[in-house]
Amino acid sequence: MGRSSTPGEGTRPRVRHAGQLGWDDGLYEDAPEKGPDSGASGGRSAPADSGRRRGGPKRHGKKGKRRVLRWVAAVLALFILGGAGAGYLYYEHLNGNLKKEDLTLGDKPMADHKANAAGQTPLNILLIGSDARNSKENQKLGGAKDTFGAPPLADVQMLLHLSADRSNMSVISMPRDTLLKIPKCTDPKTKHVYPATTGLAMTNETLGRGGPGCTVATWYELTGITIDHFMMIDFAGVVSMADAIGGVPVCVKGNVYSHTSTGKGSGLKLEKGTTKIKGKQALQWLRTRYGFEDGTDLGRTHAQHMYMNSMVRELRKGTKLTDPGKLTDLAEAATNALTVDKGDKGLGSVTKLYNLAEELKKPPTKRITMTTMPNVYGTGVNKGRVLPKPVEADQLFQMVRDDIPLDGKASKRKAPAAKKPTASPAEIPVTVRNGTRTDTEYPVKGRASAVKELLAGKGFTQATIDTQNTEVAKRTGILFPTVDMEGNAQAVAKALGIPLSAVKKSTDVSGITLAVGADWREDGDYHAPSAEEKTPESARALNGDDETACMDVQPGFGW
């Protein structure tokens, strides 16, 4: 892990404005990833089901450029639309620029948020970077011709969590090479059904299985975090958006040149210390892998977090877009680059994007935390990929589910409000299902029956078993379909020791339904696993106020 510190002996180097560097079409920044023990220019062989398109290595260099453009667009769209000259953004034609897709394409409807005692709910937005090249603008900005029109990959995935009280914000990045199970998804346009994967697949494949709604469904399946919106970004018009900021300070601990003897690398060349970068040089920073830390995508993610924090600080300091013409061009570029979730609750208008940005501006920079999903390198057939790190990845996800700040500050969240039941236990029907199956273990036989008997012993004599539904539940929870059943559902939870935060409204059930999860495979009373209110060190938390953050340089890439 690279430490974030101030270069030099306790003083910050002066900021200089570097000249623009061109990008070399011969660079292949996104060759297969390599582990920390690999050489600077080495690579891994991809497994057969790698999520990469056919067509040879020419594609790899363009992919890195695309990721950067999409990343910058995602960040700037969130803050510029709400922070600079909002009046220019209310032209109706800008609404027509926005592309809209279904929020989720999976079969499992997401449970509603549980409001706290003050009636507040968190806000979760999935930021997706698409490498689609289905327009002249996108094709002009990069990409081998043999990949034009091919299924897109979701190469950037970041979950942005805004706390219920709006006091803090957290971001979790998922490495693009993460292996997981993808749920069944149905393409809303063609009605083609993509069956759930039987084995592990790369997370970036989700976008090609019907659209961003499949990426959302996959995140929900993995994390259990309710996702309210998504924002998918392509790369058209993003260079002008990067320039509009006026430059973002970044820091390296030594001279760095992202270039290998075989022509790989982003071309980024910086002197030791702090440099204010913009335009194409900002893109080089954001796509640099060779030259940062251990030369993997994990280092690149860390550099992206540094850039995002620094950019937000610049905007919060009062960076202005004062040229009306440039602002109008920026608004056009931003809305043309975005695909958002549709529907009455979606983000399909400039007004809704503006309102969203106003919410995102509420947490101070010192309460913004960037993290990476804790992960481990795969072995054997999975070599060159990463997997969620057992315990620690779910600990991070549970902290977000429970609205626990990732910056270690005391939480201001309030416990869910308790509701009075409208009936006695003997009058409350409860359906129990066995969801104890895991990726590596069969469901525990008889668990639903055992819990039914446990309920009967506590007076819930109308409990029945759903033998047809054995859908996996990582965590034990209780669902109810209508508000009038909430008090009764909470009564079931209290009787079994299940936390009220696990009682959620869902249109996926017709009555109170208890899903016995993989966290309750043993007989006896339920013991709720409580998330430690501490972000795992493996998540590499980076605070938005940290101006000392500085990238480690990979050995062999100095000059």
Side-chain angles (χ1 to χ4, degrees):
M1 300 295 183
R3 293 179 292 108
S4 296
S5 60
T6 306
E9 298 298 325
T11 60
R12 294 288 290 170
R14 67 183 179 86
V15 176
R16 59 187 178 277
H17 293 263
Q20 299 276 326
L21 296 181
W23 84 41
D24 183 350
D25 287 340
L27 301 184
Y28 300 106
E29 177 61 21
D30 283 83
E33 306 291 349
K34 58 185 191 313
D37 56 345
S38 303
S41 60
R44 298 188 183 115
S45 57
D49 191 13
S50 66
R52 302 190 186 280
R53 297 192 185 92
R54 304 295 182 263
K58 289 184 178 181
R59 180 183 187 285
H60 295 152
K62 306 300 185 287
K63 193 169 168 186
K65 302 180 183 74
R66 291 190 297 278
R67 174 182 295 101
V68 171
L69 292 165
R70 292 186 297 278
W71 167 240
V72 175
V75 175
L76 297 184
L78 289 174
F79 291 98
I80 290 176
L81 286 176
Y88 290 101
L89 303 180
Y90 281 97
Y91 293 121
E92 276 302 313
H93 73 275
L94 292 180
N95 290 330
N97 289 344
L98 290 167
K99 295 173 284 293
K100 308 171 191 68
E101 300 277 356
D102 291 340
L103 175 61
T104 178
L105 302 181
D107 282 350
K108 181 191 292 185
M110 280 183 285
D112 292 339
H113 283 298
K114 182 67 179 177
N116 61 22
Q120 302 165 319
T121 56
L123 185 63
N124 297 315
I125 306 163
L126 187 63
L127 306 179
I128 305 170
S130 164
D131 74 349
R133 280 148 299 171
N134 54 2
S135 70
K136 290 182 179 180
E137 292 81 5
N138 290 340
Q139 293 168 5
K140 184 178 180 180
L141 285 169
K145 291 183 178 180
D146 60 353
T147 61
F148 288 178
L153 298 174
D155 276 345
V156 175
Q157 299 176 34
M158 295 185 175
L159 181 70
L160 186 152
H161 171 79
L162 185 61
S163 66
D165 62 9
R166 304 303 189 251
S167 68
N168 63 90
M169 182 191 300
S170 305
V171 173
I172 300 177
S173 292
M174 183 184 294
R176 62 178 178 140
D177 287 343
T178 299
L179 293 175
L180 39 65
K181 287 191 174 182
I182 302 175
K184 173 185 173 183
C185 294
T186 302
D187 190 314
K189 298 183 181 70
T190 66
K191 305 305 177 185
H192 177 76
V193 176
Y194 294 87
T197 58
T198 55
L200 299 177
M202 277 178 56
T203 184
N204 66 355
E205 293 180 31
T206 56
L207 192 56
R209 296 166 63 89
C214 192
T215 309
V216 169
T218 303
W219 267 80
Y220 183 59
E221 186 79 18
L222 175 69
T223 68
I225 298 170
T226 297
I227 298 174
D228 302 281
H229 304 291
F230 71 79
M231 298 176 71
M232 185 172 71
I233 315 297
D234 64 17
F235 50 90
V238 181
V239 171
S240 61
M241 295 171 69
D243 283 332
I245 295 298
V248 173
V250 295
C251 177
V252 288
K253 295 182 181 179
N255 295 350
V256 63
Y257 181 32
S258 179
H259 184 76
T260 72
S261 59
T262 57
K264 298 176 181 178
S266 70
L268 178 73
K269 191 172 186 179
L270 292 177
E271 293 181 9
K272 175 182 178 180
T274 300
T275 304
K276 204 166 192 178
I277 59 174
K278 61 180 180 178
K280 292 180 181 178
Q281 195 171 34
L283 303 184
Q284 289 175 326
W285 172 276
L286 290 165
R287 72 182 183 90
T288 292
R289 174 161 61 88
Y290 297 116
F292 283 162
E293 298 184 344
D294 61 1
T296 70
D297 197 52
L298 302 179
R300 170 161 48 198
T301 298
H302 199 213
Q304 290 171 350
H305 290 168
M306 287 186 188
Y307 182 92
M308 181 176 181
N309 278 342
S310 183
M311 184 196 66
V312 172
R313 289 195 300 268
E314 290 296 297
L315 289 171
R316 297 284 178 91
K317 286 176 183 176
T319 301
K320 301 294 183 182
L321 298 172
T322 57
D323 185 323
K326 289 183 178 179
L327 184 58
T328 300
D329 291 343
L330 180 60
E332 291 282 358
T335 52
N336 274 311
L338 283 173
T339 300
V340 297
D341 54 300
K342 64 183 180 181
D344 294 339
K345 296 183 179 180
L347 294 175
S349 73
V350 173
T351 301
K352 291 181 178 180
L353 288 173
Y354 172 76
N355 291 336
L356 169 63
E358 288 297 299
E359 292 295 297
L360 295 175
K361 286 161 59 180
K362 291 179 179 178
T365 54
K366 65 182 179 181
R367 300 302 311 278
I368 297 175
T369 308
M370 303 284 165
T371 64
T372 301
M373 180 193 76
N375 57 83
V376 294
Y377 281 98
T379 58
V381 69
N382 295 330
K383 185 178 181 181
R385 306 291 176 239
V386 298
L387 300 164
K389 190 172 185 178
V391 181
E392 293 185 16
D394 198 59
Q395 178 180 327
L396 190 68
F397 298 150
Q398 186 169 341
M399 290 180 72
V400 172
R401 289 194 302 270
D402 293 345
D403 201 24
I404 299 172
L406 299 187
D407 59 6
K409 302 287 180 66
S411 174
K412 296 180 181 179
R413 71 192 188 284
K414 298 180 180 179
K419 300 287 184 68
K420 290 184 178 180
T422 60
S424 66
E427 298 173 312
I428 299 176
V430 183
T431 300
V432 183
R433 64 178 177 86
N434 186 350
T436 57
R437 179 168 55 88
T438 71
D439 290 342
T440 57
E441 299 173 297
Y442 290 108
V444 178
K445 290 184 178 180
R447 286 303 295 136
S449 296
V451 173
K452 175 192 171 186
E453 293 304 315
L454 191 60
L455 279 169
K458 296 180 181 295
F460 294 88
T461 54
Q462 289 197 47
T464 58
I465 299 173
D466 184 354
T467 58
Q468 302 300 312
N469 188 344
T470 58
E471 185 178 357
V472 173
K474 291 186 177 181
R475 294 156 293 277
T476 297
I478 298 174
L479 302 178
F480 61 93
T482 57
V483 175
D484 61 299
M485 293 187 185
E486 184 172 8
N488 294 346
Q490 288 186 352
V492 176
K494 290 176 182 177
L496 296 175
I498 298 172
L500 294 188
S501 60
V503 181
K504 298 185 177 182
K505 182 174 177 290
S506 173
T507 57
D508 197 32
V509 295
S510 58
I512 296 173
T513 301
L514 167 59
V516 183
D519 58 350
W520 198 9
R521 290 174 61 88
E522 304 293 332
D523 288 335
D525 293 335
Y526 178 72
H527 298 286
S530 58
E532 294 183 46
E533 297 206 3
K534 180 181 178 182
T535 302
E537 289 188 10
S538 56
R540 304 194 69 184
L542 184 64
N543 185 270
D545 239 14
D546 185 0
E547 297 189 40
T548 69
C550 201
M551 283 300 293
D552 284 314
V553 176
Q554 185 182 5
F557 287 87
W559 58 276

